[in-house]
Amino acid sequence: MSGRFITFEGGEGAGKSTQARMLADLLEARGLNVVLTREPGGTPGAEAIRELLLDNRHDWDVRAEALLFAAARSDHVENAIGPALDRGDWVVCDRFIDSSRAYQAGGDDLSDDAILSLHTIGSFALMPDVTFLLYAETDAIASRLAARDGDESDRIGGRPAEYHARVAQRFRDLAAMDPERFILIDASGTPDVVHERVLRAMAPLLGEGG
Ligand code: TMP
């Protein structure tokens, strides 16, 4: 079976990283070649840009921020995701272009077209085959974040609740605009329960019927 490009998206603390890992483990257990990766990051160059982006000592303007995310993504696509897909591997990525559309365009005021233009320049407009959007109640997320970050939230995670509410709304809008690609997953419950929901949604992709 030739590979697919699967992304996990959502706001802070929705459990994307855990779900991406659980799905990658399952696909590997089925004998598929899988690359599990994340954004910003996934290559040495993009991980270096991640440090710059999330470090509280920098005060990037929204345009510089969008360019840095696009630059990190470009390196990631060129040196990790693209080669993996060319080999026929499955790629499971924790965040991708929709995070830039939701955070830099939804949370801040860049247009979606501007973000997509940067993506065309940087990454040949590569889009995932499937995007799981994890959504959860704000209260559940707040307690997960407190457990994860304590007082140590990064430059973007630490932004006000109103910013994150706009991001969450933009993710929902993107999903509504592209129902063929997006699959909404209720992120409430234990990681195993959420994983089951992801697997049920994956069944058709794995040739297992609906
Ligand atoms: P993470 O916490 O999921 O690793 O992501 C790091 C932060 O970067 C998170 O606050 C979301 C943010 N982000 C953007 O603002 N735009 C992007 O394009 C990506 C990939 C992440």
Side-chain angles (χ1 to χ4, degrees), residues 14 18 39 123 141 175 178 194 196:
T18 304
E39 290 210 340
S123 304
I141 291 175
D178 195 352
V194 180
E196 274 305 314

Side-chain angles (χ1 to χ4, degrees), residues 3-25:
R4 294 277 193 288
F5 180 23
I6 299 167
T7 58
F8 281 83
E9 296 282 7
E12 313 286 312
K16 293 176 305 302
S17 311
T18 304
Q19 291 305 320
R21 184 170 22 81
M22 290 174 95
L23 178 62
D25 287 349

Side-chain angles (χ1 to χ4, degrees), residues 160-180:
E162 304 80 67
Y163 175 88
H164 290 290
R166 287 199 297 279
V167 170
Q169 182 59 49
R170 183 57 66 96
F171 271 127
R172 284 191 291 273
D173 294 346
L174 292 173
M177 271 158 44
D178 195 352
E180 299 266 295

